[in-house]
Amino acid sequence: MSIAIPTPAPRTPAGGYAWRQDRSAAALTGRNESERVGAIARSIGQAAVEILAGTRPASQLARWTDPEVVERFTQRAAMLKLVQEQCPERRNLFEVHRAARIRRVRVCSPAPGCYEASLVVEESSRARAVALRIERVSRQWRVTHLEVG
């Protein structure tokens, strides 16, 4: 008598995206590449909004972005914090960055190895737009432009 033991299927997270399934350059084309860039855009967009809220340091963007982007977000977060301290009566205006959720991500490729992404970020009282330009630099994705509206 023999017992058949089923081989387990590879586990993928909800939504069907597997992070490190295959790192070869051939696997990073077409749909897989677009999904990867969409996931990066989602993560960086969420981090950018949290930086402006003061709940995350801008230095956490350094791995994925150009130094100019980190510098700009460091200055912008410091400016927002200074304005909050100077205007305590308007504190509720600065709560808009808290509990932000990414609602929609759109990705397009204007050129090979270059993507542009737009995100809709829903906050407690309004929705915001986040725009990113993501380029491949020697097998690594790098955010070269990042704007939060």
Side-chain angles (χ1 to χ4, degrees), residues 52-130:
L52 296 179
T55 59
R56 181 186 287 234
S59 61
Q60 288 186 1
L61 289 177
R63 178 178 178 208
W64 295 98
T65 63
D66 284 345
E68 297 84 24
V69 173
V70 176
E71 177 73 25
R72 204 161 37 93
F73 268 82
T74 301
Q75 290 175 351
R76 189 170 171 185
M79 182 185 66
L80 283 171
K81 185 174 182 178
L82 182 64
V83 170
Q84 285 177 352
E85 292 170 355
Q86 305 247 335
C87 304
E89 69 279 357
R90 303 179 86 193
R91 186 176 272 317
N92 62 345
L93 293 177
F94 299 104
E95 296 296 318
V96 295
H97 295 299
R98 308 249 184 246
R101 293 180 295 179
I102 306 295
R103 280 294 177 204
R104 191 172 309 125
V105 178
R106 301 278 189 234
V107 178
C108 69
S109 178
C114 177
Y115 283 85
E116 293 180 350
S118 61
L119 289 76
V120 175
V121 181
E122 183 182 54
E123 297 172 337
S124 59
S125 61
R126 65 189 252 185
R128 295 184 161 268
V130 177

Side-chain angles (χ1 to χ4, degrees), residues 17 32-42 105 107 115-117 134 141:
Y17 182 76
N32 288 341
E33 187 175 74
S34 180
E35 289 176 1
R36 173 77 171 149
V37 170
I40 292 169
R42 179 180 286 275
V105 178
V107 178
Y115 283 85
E116 293 180 350
I134 305 169
W141 292 106

